Amino acid sequence: MSLDAQWALRWIELAAADVAQQRDYLVDLDRAIGDGDHGENMDRGFTAAVEALREAQPGSVAEALKTVAKTLMSTVGGAAGPLYGTAFLRASKAAGDGELDGAGVAAVIAGALEGIRARGKAVTGEKTMVDAWTPALEAARAAAEAGSDGAAVLEAAATAAEAGAAATEPLRATKGRASYLGERSIGHLDPGAVSTSLILRAAARAAGEAGAA
């Protein structure tokens, strides 16, 4: 099964709903080690992205992801806007012109991580969203190389991202605003890693729905 523009639209619809549902949780996570606006910013950005996609009616995954990128860059404040905006922009370039198979999904995730690293200059172990995106990419590549379709690759990526987000709790932040807390950042989940896990889980759910249709 390959994934098309309708999958991308459904992905962002589900992501927006999940982010809205977890808005206060993300706010609390960010309040502990940041400035407390991550949940509000992500909720606003993904709500706007859904509206933009419905208006644009993109004809391909690449067009959909580019629309999301532009919307997030213009509506999401703080560090998350440029990071997620660049992630979706690089992902759109990696998507190519057609539908996505397993290898295509892995390429899109690779593009997203490349964008985040380029923008944020973060590496694994620094208690950032990179700690969720990196294992997601590793799992996606392994699944794609094993011949899995797009839905299975996304399932693997989402599960790995959730584990990666959970693994940020014992880390000491050495990047971004949380790094100012030093040892006090230990014992808290990174909000960007958690929102990453929500977004990738939404992508997997959307693919599962498409496969069941």
Side-chain angles (χ1 to χ4, degrees), residues 40-142:
E40 180 180 349
N41 287 338
M42 294 296 287
D43 185 17
R44 180 174 61 251
F46 274 84
T47 297
V50 170
E51 295 173 357
L53 285 171
R54 288 174 178 169
E55 181 177 339
Q57 288 297 302
S60 68
V61 173
E63 290 176 11
L65 298 183
K66 187 174 182 180
T67 297
V68 173
K70 291 180 176 179
T71 306
L72 295 181
M73 285 180 178
S74 64
T75 59
V76 179
L83 288 169
Y84 273 117
T86 304
F88 275 91
L89 186 60
R90 295 288 184 92
S92 73
K93 294 177 180 178
D97 297 326
E99 298 180 358
L100 300 181
D101 58 8
V105 168
V108 162
I109 294 173
L113 177 55
E114 177 186 295
I116 292 165
R117 284 176 170 163
R119 175 67 69 170
K121 311 299 182 185
V123 297
T124 54
E126 293 183 315
K127 202 183 184 86
T128 72
M129 62 174 66
V130 170
D131 290 307
W133 281 100
T134 299
L137 175 57
E138 292 170 351
R141 281 178 168 163

Side-chain angles (χ1 to χ4, degrees), residues 103-196:
V105 168
V108 162
I109 294 173
L113 177 55
E114 177 186 295
I116 292 165
R117 284 176 170 163
R119 175 67 69 170
K121 311 299 182 185
V123 297
T124 54
E126 293 183 315
K127 202 183 184 86
T128 72
M129 62 174 66
V130 170
D131 290 307
W133 281 100
T134 299
L137 175 57
E138 292 170 351
R141 281 178 168 163
E145 289 171 3
S148 297
D149 65 8
V153 170
L154 281 169
E155 177 63 32
T159 300
E162 289 162 350
T168 64
E169 186 171 5
L171 297 178
R172 178 182 182 275
T174 56
K175 197 78 173 180
R177 187 180 181 90
S179 65
Y180 301 152
L181 296 176
E183 295 295 324
R184 287 180 295 158
S185 65
I186 296 172
H188 299 282
L189 295 171
D190 178 71
V194 173
S195 63
T196 292

